[in-house]
Amino acid sequence: MYESYYGLSAKPFQLRPDPHFFFGSKGHKRAMAYLEYGLSQGEGFIVITGEVGAGKTTLVRNLFNKLPSDQIVAAHIVNTHLDPDDTLRMVVSGFGLPYEGASKTDLLTRLEQFLRAVDRQGKRALLVIDEAQNLKPQTVEELRMLSNFQTDDKSLLQTFLLGQPEFRATLHSPTMQQLRQRVIASYHLGPMDAQESAAYIEHRLHTVGWNGDPAFDESAHAAIFGYTGGIPRKTNTLLDRVLLMGYLEELHAFNEEHIKTVIGDIAEEFQLPTAVNTPQAPGAQAGGIDGAGYLSDDPLGHLPERRASAEVLDERMMRLEKSIVSVLSILKKIVATPQNGVQANQHVDTPE
């Protein structure tokens, strides 16, 4: 909706992980370096953890874009709320092998035969497990056992584990000692700092053809960072709403107040609804007389709060009406503009 208004070729702040928008912050560069180091080793486990929305999946997609398909065969598993047997089926399926109706023995045999065939072709197999924090200890142990597929001089399967910080608790539990011995590198991906946050925003805008419209002043960037804490996904969610508001309100420059307005709107949307018809306490009066002499069902004196809420609602309704008027005005301009030399009110015959 707002892309054409600001002259952008696509939405710059979509939530879907897209390696096209990969931004190399200090943390993301280091995490990518660990993954690339792991690939160069060709064995063991690489563990990358990070907060929700820190960009772990985008990191993996960016890595996959760089993988030489003639050298590495990769499988990416994202559904991890599974027991060990179902996880094994997901791994087998991820490498494109049949799995339905097969026993665990059959699945392991098929996987080993596949891995050995990949090795004979001069390639390597890579397994990437996303959302590793959901893995049960028994499932993690099952994945460790897969690393036992080896030739005389090399491992046939390498595994990358990506998850939220709580996966570290699983990794460092007493039962995970054998897995820890096979982890050749581990890195925690933290949030961006304030300067990186501003650079990240401009990077995503430039990626879709931004020419400075809209503009964000320093106070806007400070408010954005204060709300998002440098987490990419939170930044994307907020900025998508900011640009939508800018389109509806016909804004071409954003400051702190604009950002705070959108933050307030988001906060209101996630508030729990007020209870309706709440039972009254025993002995409470059913109503009373308010200060203006009108009958009131507010014996506890909440009318000022309700009136304030009503005023806020009225203000939001006025803004919504203004936004609708703006959209209608734009639509009228579009309809009235000649396209391809044909007036909007002309009838063009088309063949039956």
Side-chain angles (χ1 to χ4, degrees):
M1 181 180 290
Y2 57 73
E3 299 96 303
S4 59
Y5 182 72
Y6 290 118
L8 306 176
S9 60
K11 289 185 66 174
F13 299 104
Q14 60 188 15
L15 294 182
R16 177 176 57 84
D18 187 343
H20 184 59
F21 289 99
F22 178 77
F23 174 72
S25 69
K26 293 190 294 287
H28 287 83
K29 285 180 179 178
R30 290 195 64 181
M32 184 59 65
Y34 273 80
L35 293 177
E36 291 173 346
Y37 168 76
L39 282 177
S40 70
Q41 298 303 299
E43 62 178 355
F45 289 78
I46 301 290
V47 176
I48 303 292
T49 57
E51 299 293 339
V52 176
K56 300 182 294 297
T57 303
T58 302
L59 199 70
V60 173
R61 299 283 175 84
N62 188 59
L63 175 70
F64 276 20
N65 271 2
K66 297 182 177 182
L67 291 179
S69 59
D70 60 335
Q71 299 177 25
I72 296 178
V73 178
H76 187 193
I77 308 299
V78 296
N79 186 353
T80 52
H81 281 289
L82 302 169
D83 60 30
D85 288 351
D86 285 337
T87 300
L88 178 59
R89 289 187 176 86
M90 287 291 291
V91 172
V92 170
S93 173
F95 282 114
L97 305 174
Y99 65 93
E100 293 182 358
S103 66
K104 182 175 181 179
T105 301
D106 291 337
L107 293 172
L108 290 171
T109 300
R110 290 175 189 175
L111 182 59
E112 182 178 11
Q113 291 174 346
F114 169 78
L115 295 176
R116 294 191 180 279
V118 169
D119 180 62
R120 288 193 296 270
Q121 295 170 10
K123 300 181 180 180
R124 290 162 40 202
L126 172 65
L127 174 63
V128 179
I129 306 291
D130 219 333
E131 303 296 341
Q133 74 280 353
N134 298 325
L135 295 173
K136 300 175 183 177
Q138 301 91 329
T139 304
V140 176
E141 177 63 14
E142 188 72 44
L143 293 172
R144 184 193 69 80
M145 294 292 290
L146 296 182
S147 66
N148 289 331
F149 291 135
Q150 300 177 350
T151 64
D152 292 338
D153 60 347
K154 71 179 71 171
S155 174
L156 294 176
L157 179 66
Q158 185 177 26
T159 303
F160 290 176
L161 299 172
L162 294 92
Q164 296 171 22
E166 50 265 37
F167 178 64
R168 289 184 171 270
T170 300
L171 183 62
H172 290 281
S173 63
T175 59
M176 292 291 110
Q177 182 176 356
Q178 293 190 68
L179 175 65
R180 289 196 300 272
Q181 292 175 354
R182 302 194 184 193
V183 174
I184 62 175
S186 177
Y187 182 73
H188 180 74
L189 179 61
M192 301 177 292
D193 61 28
Q195 289 183 338
E196 289 176 326
S197 174
Y200 170 82
I201 292 168
E202 294 190 356
H203 166 76
R204 293 190 72 104
L205 287 167
H206 278 302
T207 302
V208 294
W210 180 59
N211 60 1
D213 178 24
F216 297 83
D217 66 16
E218 291 186 5
S219 69
H221 280 296
I224 292 168
F225 181 75
Y227 175 75
T228 66
I231 298 295
R233 187 183 300 165
K234 290 188 68 175
T235 303
N236 291 353
T237 301
L238 175 61
L239 265 295
D240 186 62
R241 292 289 297 270
V242 167
L243 293 184
L244 177 60
M245 183 194 77
Y247 162 69
L248 295 175
E249 300 288 345
E250 299 183 359
L251 301 175
H252 293 276
F254 295 101
N255 57 32
E256 179 181 12
E257 291 305 313
H258 296 129
I259 306 302
K260 287 185 174 180
T261 296
V262 176
I263 292 173
D265 289 344
I266 294 174
E268 286 184 10
E269 292 168 6
F270 284 93
Q271 285 180 350
L272 292 174
T274 304
V276 180
N277 297 327
T278 304
Q280 294 181 343
Q285 295 180 2
I289 306 296
D290 68 7
Y294 295 101
L295 285 174
S296 169
D297 61 351
D298 184 47
L300 300 181
H302 295 312
L303 273 175
E305 296 176 7
R306 294 181 182 177
R307 287 171 180 160
S309 298
E311 291 173 1
V312 171
L313 181 60
D314 288 341
E315 180 181 351
R316 289 174 61 82
M317 289 297 295
M318 290 176 62
R319 287 172 49 200
L320 180 59
E321 290 174 0
K322 180 180 177 182
S323 300
I324 293 174
V325 171
S326 299
V327 173
L328 290 175
S329 176
I330 293 172
L331 291 175
K332 289 179 181 178
K333 292 178 182 178
I334 294 174
V335 172
T337 301
Q339 297 183 358
N340 300 325
V342 181
Q343 296 294 334
N345 60 351
Q346 290 180 337
H347 174 73
V348 180
D349 291 328
T350 56
E352 295 294 335

